[in-house]
Amino acid sequence: MRTRTAAEAAAVGSQGDRPAGPDDVRAAVTALYREHALGLVRLAYVTTGSRSIAEEVVQEAFCGLYRRWGQLSDTDKAVGYLRSSVLNGCRSAWRRAQRRPLIAHLPPAESAEAAALTAEDQREVAAALQRLPDRQREALVLRFYLDFTDAQIADAMRISPGTVRSTVHRAITALGIVLKETS
């Protein structure tokens, strides 16, 4: 028997699997926020390159989940809904920002020279990543930053696992070409 998460337990009212009222929905969304907000902000940050935009996108995703909680066919899929909402919000923010360059915030390195080289390498990769089409960039972020499997990426991006594999392959190839051009 599967145990319920904090969000599921908070969302279940006396009527079974449907929320009992606004307080139960609020408690369920709050529990999901506590469990998943940081990871979603990280996903949005890597995708958009802006902490403030990432936080705004995640906040909007949780507000949307709260508004649509009663329309969810399965509350177990709320995290998938949030992830898809965050990715869609990042796409919209990306379009609005008209592809501003990604600015990487780096931890201090061992020396000033090493920091300069590391920062330059990361800027080159970030700039090359930003030049990729949205779908390719998102697939790479989900694969290499969040360590998602093909099935998880397919679910998050709403594409087939075969499309995930071909998209990641094309993205890696394109990223290599872009990086060679800048070297």
Side-chain angles (χ1 to χ4, degrees), residues 40 43-45 47-48 53-54 56-62 64-65 68 78-97 134-135 137-139 141-142 153-159:
L40 292 170
L43 168 64
Y45 174 74
T47 304
T48 64
I53 291 173
E56 184 178 322
V57 165
V58 171
Q59 180 180 349
E60 270 305 309
F62 276 98
L65 175 66
R68 293 174 190 83
V79 175
Y81 172 89
L82 285 167
R83 195 175 298 114
S84 294
S85 294
V86 167
L87 288 172
N88 287 336
C90 289
R91 287 182 200 120
S92 296
W94 183 251
R95 287 184 204 111
R96 282 190 305 268
D134 290 346
R135 180 184 273 189
R137 184 178 54 258
E138 289 168 10
V141 167
L142 292 171
I153 296 170
D155 184 50
M157 294 180 68
R158 299 186 188 275
I159 58 178

Side-chain angles (χ1 to χ4, degrees), residues 14-65:
S14 59
Q15 297 93 7
D17 285 339
R18 299 302 288 169
D23 290 338
D24 294 323
V25 173
R26 190 175 301 118
V29 174
T30 300
L32 283 169
Y33 183 86
R34 287 185 179 133
E35 288 180 48
H36 301 284
L38 181 59
L40 292 170
V41 168
R42 287 178 179 158
L43 168 64
Y45 174 74
V46 170
T47 304
T48 64
S50 167
R51 182 177 175 182
S52 62
I53 291 173
E55 290 172 349
E56 184 178 322
V57 165
V58 171
Q59 180 180 349
E60 270 305 309
F62 276 98
C63 289
L65 175 66

